[in-house]
Amino acid sequence: MTFLTLLPLAVVMVAGTQLVAAVFFASSDRPRAASLGYLAGAAIVVFGGTTVAWLAVHLFKLNFSGTGRGTVERWLDWFVLALLAVLAVVVFLRRHSGPPRWMGQLQHASPGYALKVGLLLFLGMPSDDLTMATVGASAARHDLPWWHLLPFVLLTLVLLALPLLALLLLGRRAAVVLPRIRDWADSHSWLVSEAVIALFAVITVLDLAK
């Protein structure tokens, strides 16, 4: 496994409500400032969450660096597989949940409020918590150095920044593009998420079969 294997899970991180919120911020009274605040909040959580998971598994493996290492790695594979199974169920159950009502308030969000939304939204979403745990645990299980988490974090932020980039690049035409991004994220992103989860599950099963 390399850091490239972890990158598709960034789609799961932003799919649905998270990307919909990014669209609302890009359409707000202060789109640039609000979007940057939202991205900052998301960055803190994703960076911190994956790092904590990586550290936890890395330190756990250090305690079994001897003859029991192979057994520990198999248990970690089963742990990751269990996380993926729960994540798939969570994504499926939330597929038609729609954006929360409070998102209507994001139209007038300040940068500080947007930062808080980024923090709370990514902390409070079970799918994001499970994805961060999966990424961190998988990287540590395969002895990937900590910095291999950074491309995953950066890709997550780039995907979240798509509405802002559309606004900056398209100007007034973004008024047409942004609702399409919002509607797609709300309706179909769960299918992409499930496909990514299935792909990562296959990779984990192949590790178990070795």
Side-chain angles (χ1 to χ4, degrees), residues 41-67:
I44 293 171
V45 175
V46 179
F47 178 82
T50 53
T51 297
V52 168
W54 182 89
L55 282 173
V57 175
H58 181 69
L59 294 175
F60 179 74
K61 285 183 66 176
L62 288 179
N63 293 327
F64 295 91
S65 56
T67 56

Side-chain angles (χ1 to χ4, degrees), residues 139-205:
R141 178 262 180 264
H142 290 89
D143 296 319
L144 297 180
W146 168 83
W147 67 266
H148 279 223
L149 300 175
L150 298 181
F152 168 81
V153 176
L154 291 176
L155 181 58
T156 300
L157 297 178
V158 168
L159 294 175
L160 274 184
L162 288 178
L164 177 60
L165 294 175
L167 176 68
L168 296 176
L169 296 175
L170 300 178
R172 293 182 179 179
R173 288 178 294 174
V176 177
V177 175
L178 290 178
R180 292 178 180 175
I181 296 177
R182 181 192 63 210
D183 293 341
W184 179 88
D186 190 38
S187 302
H188 300 98
S189 59
W190 72 274
L191 290 170
V192 180
S193 295
E194 294 288 24
V196 171
I197 293 168
L199 173 63
F200 206 82
V202 170
I203 294 172
T204 305
V205 170

Side-chain angles (χ1 to χ4, degrees), residues 15 96 99 103 129 148 163 194:
H96 298 312
M103 278 198 175
D129 296 333
H148 279 223
E194 294 288 24

Side-chain angles (χ1 to χ4, degrees), residues 123-135:
L123 275 175
M125 281 288 178
S127 58
D128 286 338
D129 296 333
L130 289 167
T131 304
M132 289 185 289
T134 300
V135 169

